[in-house]
Amino acid sequence: MISVTVDAQGQMLGNPIDMLLAGYARGLLSMPLHALVASHLAIKPDSRRFVSALESAGGSVLEAVAPGPVADRERRLAAIFAAEDAPSPVPPAAADAIVPLPLARYLGRPLSEVPWRTLLPGVKEFKIEDNADGESSLYWIRAGRKIPSHTHDGSEFTLVLSGAFSDINGHYGRGDIAVADSDVDHRPTADPGADCFCFAVTDAPLRLTGPIGRIVQRLFGH
Ligand code: ZN
């Protein structure tokens, strides 16, 4: 059940997922977040019902949001964690089936043609967009691997495309959206047995914590 209220200033109040869905229904989301929610809805019919209810109740119209420029800046972390794990094959063409249509449109290329960069052994990233409003990335986490502990200045929304991962907040499988904000210091860990593919959108740069993170933060001065 979605519970979102609007305060006197017109700000929406509620839990992050409800607010995300309400923002989608009202056409307020950035393009990557829009793609994330639309993909979530393609996988999770239950949520689609909620959004339909919100749309009809609010009489709102979904708006297309102009895409931001796609940045191609050098991946700072890749330079640090240059240690390459064993060469991994690109996902087979069959893997494209895990990408819901809204995400496929946003991505603009099949998963099998994504130029993955190794973030650290067992964790690959493809940064789709990176601008002042935040970042969007695909992550490919090998079965059983962990992402270093980190927090976020803003909010991070992560949609699981295949496999599953856990963090301090819970366990997330295909179609689930995990939310992490500045209060959460989490260390996502992929389930053993299957690689985990995720689509993550942050509305502000993430802040690494822990020993490695502190070194990285010092190097880059934030
Ligand atoms: Zn995170």
Side-chain angles (χ1 to χ4, degrees):
M1 183 65 200
I2 283 186
S3 174
V4 175
T5 56
V6 178
D7 69 14
Q9 283 73 46
Q11 295 291 313
M12 289 190 295
L13 307 170
N15 83 50
I17 294 286
D18 288 354
M19 290 183 57
L20 190 67
L21 294 176
Y24 175 86
R26 291 164 61 131
L28 300 175
L29 301 182
S30 65
M31 187 171 177
L33 273 180
H34 189 92
L36 184 142
V37 175
S39 297
H40 163 74
L41 298 175
I43 301 172
K44 296 273 189 181
D46 285 352
S47 286
R48 194 182 301 141
R49 279 207 306 276
F50 291 144
V51 171
S52 299
L54 280 171
E55 283 171 356
S56 53
S60 61
V61 177
L62 299 185
E63 301 170 355
V65 178
V70 176
D72 60 352
R73 76 164 165 81
E74 203 51 46
R75 233 123 310 183
R76 295 178 297 191
L77 283 175
I80 300 298
F81 300 111
E84 176 61 80
D85 48 336
S88 43
V90 295
D96 291 333
I98 69 171
V99 180
L101 191 57
L103 177 57
R105 288 200 181 111
Y106 171 66
L107 193 55
R109 70 178 92 199
L111 198 64
S112 50
E113 293 178 13
V114 163
W116 296 96
R117 299 278 301 262
T118 297
L119 202 57
L120 68 168
V123 181
K124 292 181 185 299
E125 179 189 30
F126 172 58
K127 193 159 286 182
I128 304 165
E129 215 173 328
D130 180 5
N131 57 44
D133 296 332
E135 300 179 357
S136 64
S137 295
L138 290 175
Y139 288 100
W140 176 4
I141 311 166
R142 288 308 187 105
R145 294 301 183 97
K146 297 176 196 298
I147 284 185
S149 295
H150 60 273
T151 58
H152 302 268
D153 285 334
S155 299
E156 175 191 59
F157 299 92
T158 303
L159 174 70
V160 179
L161 302 174
S162 77
F165 76 84
S166 300
D167 70 8
I168 194 169
N169 285 328
H171 182 256
Y172 306 91
R174 175 168 166 79
D176 291 336
I177 298 175
V179 185
D181 60 21
S182 53
D183 297 331
V184 177
D185 186 344
H186 70 155
R187 186 169 199 200
T189 304
D191 279 15
D195 290 3
C196 183
F197 288 87
C198 299
F199 172 48
V201 180
T202 56
D203 56 12
L206 58 78
R207 249 180 312 127
L208 290 171
T209 56
I212 295 176
R214 278 193 289 275
I215 291 168
V216 174
Q217 299 299 337
R218 208 155 46 230
L219 283 173
F220 291 101
H222 57 259

